[in-house]
Amino acid sequence: MDTGQRKVVKMQPLIDIFENLDRHCGKWTHYFDIYETHFSKYRNKKPVVVEVGICRGGSAEMWQKYYGKGATIVGIDVDPNAFKPEHQTPGCIQINGDQGNPQFWKEFLKEYPKIDVFLDDGSHRCNHQITTLKEVWSHIVDGGVYMCEDTHTNYWPEYGGGLRTPTTFVEYAKQISDTMNKNYWKGTDNSPNNQLLAEHFNNLVGMHFYDSIVVMDKAPVIKTEIVTSTPI
């Protein structure tokens, strides 16, 4: 008898996919819950997924299996080792490109102008992370997610880092977080530089700071207002 109930298909957890990969992939254990929190909404939705830093091909394989049939998985790297045949994942696109070069992004984004999920796991250098975000953000679709991982390198001098060093990606991200509250700025807070930053990240609606990860959510700007439960 047809009860009208739909069968619920349980999707495989990302950690299970990771543990059964054919190709090498290295991740911190606490990353998987963060991935699931921010990426799961795009499973089986045919998203365009771009990752910087593909190493030996395991991550491309992982995302292909995670997002399902119809997903476009694009990996970017400058390491020749990443393009060896044994590191290729059939059905995934791998591109040789320098994430620290704005011109590379201009050319890349002509081919992939709309991105649902973006993951920066590239050089981990602060200036490269900042350049990548600046160039890519306007191409993240509404409802899309931008993630930069391994931001612990922002505290290491050899990557251009250091605690509260103004030129790190983490400090830049902290500045960006203020733009979500631009409607409440007063006086000198509305400087030209602050306004330019707010304009560029106008559709930023949420930021999440984790151990070694920064996540940014994009969505259309909505009008906010105060409501009351009862008349005053």
Side-chain angles (χ1 to χ4, degrees):
M1 183 176 69
D2 185 4
T3 63
Q5 294 180 339
R6 292 184 179 182
K7 183 178 180 181
V8 177
V9 179
K10 187 176 181 180
M11 289 186 281
Q12 188 178 18
L14 182 59
I15 186 64
D16 290 352
I17 295 173
F18 173 81
E19 290 175 346
N20 291 280
L21 292 175
D22 296 321
R23 297 165 184 81
H24 173 82
C25 181
K27 297 290 184 181
W28 291 88
T29 53
H30 69 283
Y31 284 10
F32 292 96
D33 285 343
I34 299 171
Y35 290 151
E36 292 277 23
T37 296
H38 297 282
F39 293 165
S40 61
K41 65 180 180 179
Y42 276 109
R43 297 192 78 173
N44 297 322
K45 299 290 179 63
K46 301 181 180 180
V48 175
V49 181
V50 177
E51 179 175 19
V52 182
I54 53 180
C55 194
R56 295 176 178 85
S59 60
E61 178 190 349
M62 179 175 72
W63 297 129
Q64 184 186 61
K65 292 177 177 177
Y66 181 73
Y67 286 108
K69 187 177 180 180
T72 300
I73 310 297
V74 184
I76 299 167
D77 215 307
V78 292
D79 183 358
N81 184 59
F83 301 95
K84 290 182 177 180
E86 62 268 28
H87 298 158
Q88 304 295 303
T89 298
C92 296
I93 303 161
Q94 293 180 292
I95 295 174
N96 191 328
D98 176 6
Q99 74 171 121
N101 184 349
Q103 187 57 41
F104 162 72
W105 287 116
K106 286 178 175 56
E107 295 302 318
F108 175 84
L109 293 166
K110 288 178 183 176
E111 190 167 356
Y112 299 97
K114 295 182 179 181
I115 300 169
D116 298 294
V117 178
F118 188 93
L119 177 59
D120 183 353
D121 184 22
S123 72
H124 308 320
R125 297 197 61 82
C126 298
N127 59 329
H128 290 177
Q129 292 169 334
I130 292 172
T131 295
T132 300
L133 174 58
K134 285 181 176 178
E135 297 295 330
V136 171
W137 178 254
S138 61
H139 293 267
I140 303 297
V141 302
D142 285 335
V145 182
Y146 187 103
M147 181 181 292
C148 183
E149 69 178 44
D150 293 345
T151 53
H152 51 267
T153 61
N154 281 227
Y155 303 94
W156 298 346
E158 60 267 34
Y159 286 85
L163 181 62
R164 298 190 183 90
T165 298
T167 54
T168 66
F169 175 83
V170 168
E171 290 300 315
Y172 183 61
K174 291 177 186 178
Q175 292 179 44
I176 293 170
S177 70
D178 287 327
T179 67
M180 290 186 289
N181 294 296
K182 58 184 176 294
N183 291 336
Y184 315 108
W185 291 354
K186 293 183 178 180
T188 56
D189 291 343
N190 287 293
S191 67
N193 285 342
N194 286 345
Q195 287 294 336
L196 282 173
L197 192 67
E199 182 179 346
H200 187 69
F201 293 99
N202 183 52
N203 286 24
L204 175 67
V205 296
M207 289 190 73
H208 315 266
F209 290 82
Y210 298 97
D211 173 355
S212 302
I213 286 181
V214 175
V215 184
M216 301 171 64
D217 301 318
K218 190 172 185 180
V221 176
I222 60 173
K223 181 181 178 180
T224 59
E225 58 184 352
I226 296 175
V227 296
T228 60
S229 58
T230 60
I232 295 176

